[in-house]
C-alpha cells in the first residue's frame, strides 16, 4: 500500500535525527562521537538494523493486508490514495489533532456561566500545536539544566575560548593558503595612476561620509594636515583601516559629546 513518506526517505531521516542528536549531546572533543566511543557506533548500528527490520515487517504486513482486500476495497483504497494530500484522511486527522479547539459554530458547547456586561467566557482548550511546543521547550530546558548546571559541561567562557581558538586556527590556515594576502607586514604604498584612481573610488564609497569630499573632516578627523592621531605611514594607516583604533573611537566619542553640548545650548 502507498505510504505518505516512502521508507527509503523515512529510514535515513530518522537515523540522521538520532545520529545528530547523539553528536550534539555527547561531548567527544574534535572527533565525532561514533569514532571516539565504540559503544555509540554499536548503538547506531543496532538502531539502523532495527529500523530496516521494522520497515521490512511493515512492508510485508501491508502487502499481505492488501492481498486480503476485496476488489471493491482495493478500488476504494486506490481512489483515497489518489486524492491530493490536503484532502487525504491522514492530513485531515493531523489537522484535527493540531487544532482541537471548538469552532465558532460550536462555542455554545464551551460557554461558561460568567457574564460581565454581556461579555461571556469560553472554556476552549489551547491549540495542541502550542501545547506540544510548550512541552518541547520544557524538555529542552530540563536537558539544558542537567547538561550545563548539574553534569557541568562547558561554560560560556569556555565556549567563547574554544570558538576564538577555532577562528584563530581557521585564520592561520587561510593565511597559509593565501600567501599573497596583504597584511601589515607586506603592505606597500602604490603611487601609480590606476591605483590612485581605485583608491579615490574606494574613498568615495566608504570614507567620504565621515572625512568629507575634500578630506576636510567632519565626523572623522581631517586628512589634509600633518597631525596623526594614530601615527602616519602606510603600516599605521593599514592597521587603522583593517583593525580600527581605540584612540579614534575615543576621539569620535568626544566629538559626539561635544556636539551634544552644543545642541543643548
Amino acid at each position: 500500500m502507498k505510504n505518505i513518506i516512502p521508507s527509503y526517505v523515512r529510514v535515513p531521516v530518522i537515523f540522521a535525527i538520532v545520529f545528530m542528536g547523539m553528536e550534539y549531546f555527547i561531548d567527544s572533543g574534535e572527533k565525532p562521537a561514533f569514532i571516539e566511543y565504540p559503544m555509540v557506533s554499536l548503538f547506531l548500528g543496532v538502531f539502523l538494523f532495527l529500523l530496516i527490520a521494522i520497515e521490512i515487517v511493515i512492508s510485508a504486513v501491508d502487502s499481505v493486508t492488501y492481498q486480503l482486500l476485496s476488489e471493491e476495497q482495493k478500488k476504494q483504497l486506490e481512489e483515497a490514495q489518489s486524492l491530493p494530500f490536503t484532502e487525504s484522511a491522514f492530513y485531515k486527522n493531523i489537522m484535527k489533532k493540531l487544532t482541537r479547539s471548538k469552532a465558532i459554530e460550536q462555542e455554545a458547547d464551551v460557554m461558561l456561566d460568567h457574564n460581565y456586561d454581556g461579555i461571556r467566557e469560553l472554556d476552549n482548550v489551547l491549540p495542541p500545536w502550542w501545547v506540544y511546543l510548550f512541552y518541547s521547550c520544557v524538555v529542552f530546558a530540563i536537558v539544558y539544566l542537567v547538561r550545563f548546571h548539574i553534569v557541568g559541561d562547558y561554560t560560556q567562557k569556555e565556549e567563547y575560548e574554544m570558538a576564538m581558538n577555532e577562528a584563530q586556527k581557521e585564520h592561520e590556515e587561510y593565511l597559509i593558503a593565501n600567501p599573497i594576502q596583504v597584511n601589515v607586514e607586506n603592505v606597500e604604498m602604490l603611487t601609480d595612476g590606476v591605483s590612485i584612481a581605485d583608491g579615490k573610488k574606494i574613498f568615495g564609497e566608504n570614507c567620504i561620509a565621515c572625512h568629507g569630499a575634500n578630506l576636510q573632516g567632519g565626523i572623522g578627523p581631517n586628512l589634509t594636515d600633518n597631525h596623526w592621531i594614530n601615527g602616519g605611514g602606510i603600516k599605521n594607516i593599514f592597521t587603522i583601516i583593517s583593525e580600527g583604533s581605540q584612540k579614534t573611537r575615543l576621539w569620535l566619542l568626544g566629538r559626539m559629546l561635544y556636539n551634544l553640548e552644543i545642541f543643548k545650548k
Side-chain angles (χ1 to χ4, degrees):
M1 288 188 287
K2 178 182 176 182
N3 292 317
I4 300 298
I5 303 177
S7 58
Y8 59 81
V9 174
R10 185 166 54 247
V11 169
V13 168
I14 296 175
F15 181 78
I17 292 173
V18 174
F19 178 84
M20 291 186 293
M22 298 192 71
E23 287 293 331
Y24 177 78
F25 287 109
I26 298 177
D27 186 7
S28 58
E30 297 182 356
K31 295 182 179 180
F34 72 94
I35 295 178
E36 185 70 15
Y37 304 108
M39 289 302 298
V40 175
S41 300
L42 178 62
F43 170 81
L44 290 174
V46 173
F47 181 75
L48 181 60
F49 172 79
L50 292 176
L51 269 181
I52 296 174
I54 291 172
E55 288 295 334
I56 293 174
V57 171
I58 292 175
S59 177
V61 171
D62 284 347
S63 178
V64 172
T65 303
Y66 184 77
Q67 297 299 325
L68 295 176
L69 296 177
S70 64
E71 292 299 326
E72 183 65 24
Q73 290 174 326
K74 290 181 181 179
K75 184 177 179 181
Q76 292 177 355
L77 180 61
E78 292 172 357
E79 290 177 354
Q81 292 177 342
S82 64
L83 292 173
F85 179 71
T86 54
E87 297 181 12
S88 63
F90 175 81
Y91 175 80
K92 291 181 178 178
N93 289 334
I94 291 294
M95 293 305 297
K96 184 178 180 180
K97 291 179 180 178
L98 294 179
T99 56
R100 201 165 51 231
S101 300
K102 295 288 185 180
I104 296 178
E105 296 80 5
Q106 300 173 314
E107 285 185 350
D109 299 338
V110 291
M111 190 75 69
L112 297 178
D113 296 333
H114 302 168
N115 190 332
Y116 186 82
D117 286 346
I119 300 175
R120 304 290 297 274
E121 183 179 355
L122 294 177
D123 188 23
N124 223 337
V125 298
L126 285 169
W129 64 266
W130 190 96
V131 176
Y132 299 150
L133 181 61
F134 174 76
Y135 290 154
S136 300
C137 292
V138 172
V139 172
F140 176 84
I142 294 174
V143 173
Y144 185 92
L145 176 67
V146 172
R147 181 179 181 186
F148 293 104
H149 296 281
I150 297 178
V151 177
D153 207 341
Y154 58 85
T155 63
Q156 290 182 330
K157 180 181 179 181
E158 293 171 342
E159 183 180 12
Y160 169 78
E161 291 174 350
M162 288 189 294
M164 291 299 295
N165 292 335
E166 185 177 349
Q168 180 65 27
K169 183 179 178 181
E170 292 178 355
H171 179 66
E172 293 173 355
E173 292 175 352
Y174 175 79
L175 293 179
I176 294 175
N178 299 271
I180 62 172
Q181 179 75 18
V182 178
N183 55 53
V184 70
E185 300 299 331
N186 60 21
V187 63
E188 297 178 358
M189 181 180 293
L190 303 177
T191 58
D192 59 280
V194 175
S195 299
I196 292 176
D198 292 340
K200 182 178 180 181
K201 181 180 178 182
I202 294 172
F203 181 88
E205 293 174 351
N206 300 279
C207 312
I208 194 172
C210 295
H211 293 286
N214 298 314
L215 311 173
Q216 75 276 11
I219 299 175
N222 78 79
L223 304 176
T224 59
D225 55 29
N226 294 322
H227 302 288
W228 295 91
I229 297 176
N230 299 283
I234 185 63
K235 293 185 182 297
N236 286 328
I237 294 174
F238 179 87
T239 302
I240 296 304
I241 294 175
S242 61
E243 301 179 9
S245 165
Q246 183 67 23
K247 290 182 179 180
T248 302
R249 287 191 286 270
L250 291 174
W251 184 90
L252 290 172
L253 178 60
R255 184 61 182 267
M256 291 172 61
L257 294 174
Y258 175 76
N259 291 338
L260 286 175
E261 290 297 325
I262 294 177
F263 179 76
K264 290 179 180 178
K265 295 178 180 178

